[in-house]
Amino acid sequence: MPFASYEIDGRSYLGRVEGDSLVPLAGASELGRQTPSDVLGELAAAGPAVAVSDVHLRAVVPQPDKIICVGLNYKAHIGETGRETPEYPVLFNKFASSLVGAFDPISVPSESTQCDYEGELAVVIGRAGRRIAKRDAIAHVMGFSVANDVTMRDYQYKTHQWLQGKAWDASTPIGPYLYTPEEVDVTSAGLRTILNGSTMQDSDTSLMIFDIPTLISTISEFTTLLPGDVILTGTPGGVGFRRDPKVFLKPGDEVSIEIDGLGAVRNRVIAEAR
Ligand code: ZN
């Protein structure tokens, strides 16, 4: 069964998803550092089920220690950016404050005129490790989810560091649920981005240049991966910034990212209230 982080009347819960219901679990109030894989599978029910429609789904991991993102990890996306195929993954980061729930609105900041979508597979770490070998990597995974690596292109390219375009507060939907590696095989899963009913990205996770074991191995070479850490694995071709004419998210839009077997994040775009 998949898992979710959610809240009711401002109170946080970790739940197991059963159909259209959530069963709250004892011992943790969200997915993350407190729920390594060996603990997660053992948590007992803490109360009666609630309907998914009666809760607010939070970012599936609301407060990760680290969010490491991969740029240029699909050939078709590299082609549209006009760059060379990298020999080492391009890595950057977001903050916990960058994340929002799967169905929360995406706010276009007043400073940016180039808010763009990037549909991505999210990997959540379930067992700590440093210098993890590729062959051991999947044993370190708590599960998989869906994310939109929303990017302010004008800020991404202000300098050669992408941080300021990638780490806006409350910009990055992730969810709705976490599926364990026992439940889903994401080595080949369709990934689509739909904007106002039109398919903008249509690819497959099998087309990643650096696969999940390679990413976990490469990242853990320099930093200890902890339970709850999130890796965003990069986006395929079709981003708005590289289309002709360019397409950017604007208030009133609805954008969704769907991955076969993992569900979808679906978000209304609004103007940021300041
Ligand atoms: Zn991305």
Side-chain angles (χ1 to χ4, degrees):
M1 302 281 182
F3 297 88
S5 300
Y6 63 98
E7 58 189 9
I8 303 172
D9 296 332
R11 196 160 163 213
S12 298
Y13 300 87
L14 162 64
R16 195 172 60 227
V17 184
E18 295 188 357
D20 295 330
S21 299
L22 292 159
V23 177
L25 299 176
S29 58
E30 61 188 40
L31 287 165
R33 271 171 272 196
Q34 307 307 315
T35 64
S37 299
D38 56 343
V39 170
L40 186 61
E42 303 298 319
L43 298 177
V50 294
V52 172
S53 56
D54 288 343
V55 311
H56 169 235
L57 290 176
R58 305 172 72 201
V60 71
V61 180
Q63 300 180 80
D65 184 68
K66 291 182 283 300
I67 305 164
I68 310 272
C69 310
V70 185
L72 310 173
N73 201 22
Y74 286 81
K75 282 216 172 73
H77 182 47
I78 292 171
E80 70 186 359
T81 63
R83 293 166 189 257
E84 303 278 305
T85 301
E87 290 176 15
Y88 186 90
V90 174
L91 302 174
F92 59 92
N93 68 292
K94 291 178 181 261
F95 305 118
S97 58
S98 313
L99 303 178
V100 292
F103 307 119
D104 289 344
I106 295 169
S107 298
V108 178
S110 55
E111 295 89 348
S112 175
T113 57
Q114 298 189 341
C115 179
D116 201 356
Y117 54 81
E118 292 193 353
E120 305 199 9
L121 171 69
V123 178
V124 178
I125 297 298
R127 175 148 69 91
R130 178 84 200 281
R131 300 193 176 95
I132 299 166
K134 282 188 202 179
R135 66 179 176 280
D136 300 329
I138 296 303
H140 287 262
V141 173
M142 188 192 303
F144 306 102
S145 197
V146 183
N148 189 344
D149 171 18
V150 170
T151 303
M152 312 314 154
R153 299 292 180 199
D154 37 4
Y155 278 72
Q156 179 183 4
Y157 297 118
K158 272 186 189 293
T159 71
H160 65 276
Q161 297 283 352
W162 294 0
L163 175 70
Q164 61 271 45
K166 293 285 191 176
W168 286 79
D169 274 358
S171 60
T172 306
I174 182 167
Y177 305 138
L178 181 96
Y179 290 80
T180 64
E182 292 74 37
E183 288 173 285
V184 293
D185 178 6
V186 294
T187 53
S188 177
L191 183 164
R192 290 165 298 279
T193 297
I194 317 288
L195 175 61
N196 301 327
S198 299
T199 301
M200 309 300 276
Q201 298 184 286
D202 189 353
S203 188
D204 192 286
T205 57
S206 63
L207 299 174
M208 284 183 199
I209 295 166
F210 301 103
D211 64 10
I212 292 166
T214 302
L215 293 174
I216 288 173
S217 173
T218 304
I219 294 166
S220 69
E221 195 172 59
F222 67 88
T223 187
T224 303
L225 287 171
L226 298 175
D229 282 355
V230 174
I231 301 172
L232 297 189
T233 56
T235 200
V239 299
F241 183 59
R242 299 295 177 185
R243 304 180 82 89
D244 185 15
K246 296 181 200 297
V247 173
F248 294 112
L249 299 177
K250 57 186 189 308
D253 286 349
E254 187 182 270
V255 59
S256 59
I257 315 292
E258 53 188 43
I259 298 180
D260 294 342
L262 299 178
V265 299
R266 186 172 306 105
N267 308 88
R268 205 161 49 83
V269 181
I270 61 171
E272 184 183 17
R274 294 181 74 192

